[in-house]
Amino acid sequence: MHARAGKGGDGSSSFRREACVPEGGPDGGDGGRGGHVIFKGSHDVDSLIALYFAPQLFAEDGVAGRGQKMYGRRGEDLIVRVPCGTTVLDAETGVQMADIVDHDQEVIIANGGKGGLGNVHFRTSTHQVPTEHTPGDMGEEFRLRLELKTIADAGLLGFPNAGKSSLLACVSDAHPKIASYPFTTLNPIVGTIRYDDFSQLRVADVPGIIEGASAGVGLGIDFLKHLARSRVLVYIIDMAGTDNREPWKDYLTLRREIEQHNAELLERPSLVLANKMDEDAATENLPKFIKKTKVTPLQISAIDADHPGVAQFKQRLWDILRPQPRGEWRSPVVAGAAEVMPATDAEFITEDALKLAPFLDLTRKVPKKKK
Ligand SMILES: Nc1nc2c(ncn2[C@@H]2O[C@H](COP(=O)(O)OP(=O)(O)OP(=O)(O)O)[C@@H](O)[C@H]2O)c(=O)[nH]1
Ligand SMILES: [Mg+2]
């Protein structure tokens, strides 16, 4: 991206000229500040594609000052909405300039130039006819590189065909492609699990990992950067060994590959799921898995939304993460509050509405009814 903040408006050089006011003195006003380029995190944007097609981010210049001590108007800030999880880097030096994580988080990436000074500022007792004025400063200008690391609360990890996408489709409202060949999923996909209390958790499905992935085999392991920000890692093991692999070896291989990529990921809280428990082979493989890995996995079947393991999985995730309801989306929970709009005129305030006053900030009194 090419980001350029607005230039400050120039200061003006002017003198007061008016009938009956001889030698009115300097009255040139200052220029306005140039607009900033501001990046703002937003839940409503989920990729950087729009910026890819419009890579020039130029904020408006400030307006020059004028006579009669008039200040120039400030240049309008350019607010660029980016998905939460965007890292902004200086493309030339590689230095990180901002890390936008939260909704509504704003970071000024390029500061607008300061406005110039008008000639009113240069008058002194011995210099009463100043013509000096200063030009506005140039705005900051950068070449930027943006990187998006998906922010999800939980990340799904597993071999190809383990059933990661099936599980995501089963618990969330995402529609990932599901098929019985390896590497069906080529890009990370995020789905949202919604709970009965309206809280939400985001789960990321990433492409499958195979032995040697950390050395670039298969799709490699680069996409694991998307999991670097998830708070829980969920290992999905194909317990039925559909592709003629040993489930316990799968688990150990996965951990080894992740360790090669980023050992810190292994210390994250994790859940291990034994998938495809509807198949007989899975029931046979389970005791061996537990014996070899000393891990007791949660048993699920990702193709069956009513399988008790699926509900348990959702509950366990919730227990670990305890999501906070998204404040900005929720109004005070009061029966009927949604129907009562904050009144602008005293006539419209009823007694019922006044009961809701603490929530709606109604401070006016109830008018007495005319008999
Ligand atoms: N019997 C059974 N089959 C399952 C289960 N879960 C997934 N499958 C099947 O396993 C195959 C692979 O499922 P996906 O969800 O695409 O697997 P994935 O882990 O996303 O695979 P990649 O995207 O290739 O890494 C599909 O044919 C699914 O129908 C399960 O619980 N039981
Ligand atoms: Mg998949």
Side-chain angles (χ1 to χ4, degrees), residues 160-166 179-180 182-185 275-276 278-279 301-302:
N161 278 343
K164 299 177 294 299
S165 305
S166 308
S180 57
F183 299 116
T184 321
T185 306
N275 191 25
K276 310 201 183 177
D278 52 300
E279 295 197 18
S301 171

Side-chain angles (χ1 to χ4, degrees), residues 124-299:
T124 64
S125 56
T126 55
H127 183 46
Q128 299 203 351
V129 191
T131 51
E132 298 91 329
H133 57 284
T134 56
D137 293 344
M138 292 306 289
E140 288 181 328
E141 189 166 359
F142 297 102
R143 300 220 164 246
L144 306 174
R145 188 155 57 85
L146 304 193
E147 257 181 27
L148 177 59
K149 291 181 186 162
T150 314
I151 295 186
D153 300 298
L156 304 181
L157 279 174
F159 268 69
N161 278 343
K164 299 177 294 299
S165 305
S166 308
L167 180 65
L168 188 74
C170 172
V171 296
S172 79
D173 47 10
H175 301 285
K177 189 171 169 191
I178 297 169
S180 57
Y181 57 87
F183 299 116
T184 321
T185 306
L186 296 173
N187 292 306
I189 298 171
V190 178
T192 306
I193 308 183
R194 294 173 207 281
Y195 290 87
D196 293 343
D197 66 347
F198 301 111
S199 55
Q200 304 180 351
L201 285 179
R202 284 155 61 88
V203 180
D205 170 24
V206 298
I209 297 173
I210 55 174
E211 187 158 9
S214 55
V217 181
L219 287 184
I221 209 161
D222 270 356
F223 48 78
L224 278 191
K225 70 178 181 209
H226 291 279
L227 298 189
R229 292 171 185 236
S230 30
R231 292 188 282 154
V232 176
L233 296 184
V234 181
Y235 295 89
I236 301 198
I237 310 294
D238 175 357
M239 199 51 77
T242 330
D243 292 337
N244 302 322
R245 287 187 316 264
E246 290 270 9
W248 64 271
K249 278 192 192 160
D250 281 6
Y251 177 68
L252 298 181
T253 310
L254 278 178
R255 287 185 68 92
R256 203 169 50 241
E257 294 298 331
I258 289 161
E259 189 179 9
Q260 306 269 323
H261 171 74
N262 180 358
E264 190 257 330
L265 281 181
L266 288 187
E267 285 154 29
R268 299 270 166 96
S270 61
L271 273 178
V272 182
L273 305 184
N275 191 25
K276 310 201 183 177
M277 290 310 292
D278 52 300
E279 295 197 18
D280 295 340
T283 325
E284 285 163 23
N285 287 336
L286 188 62
K288 194 170 178 191
F289 180 89
I290 297 174
K291 200 171 148 210
K292 290 275 188 187
T293 61
K294 315 261 181 304
V295 173
T296 311
L298 189 63
Q299 302 173 32

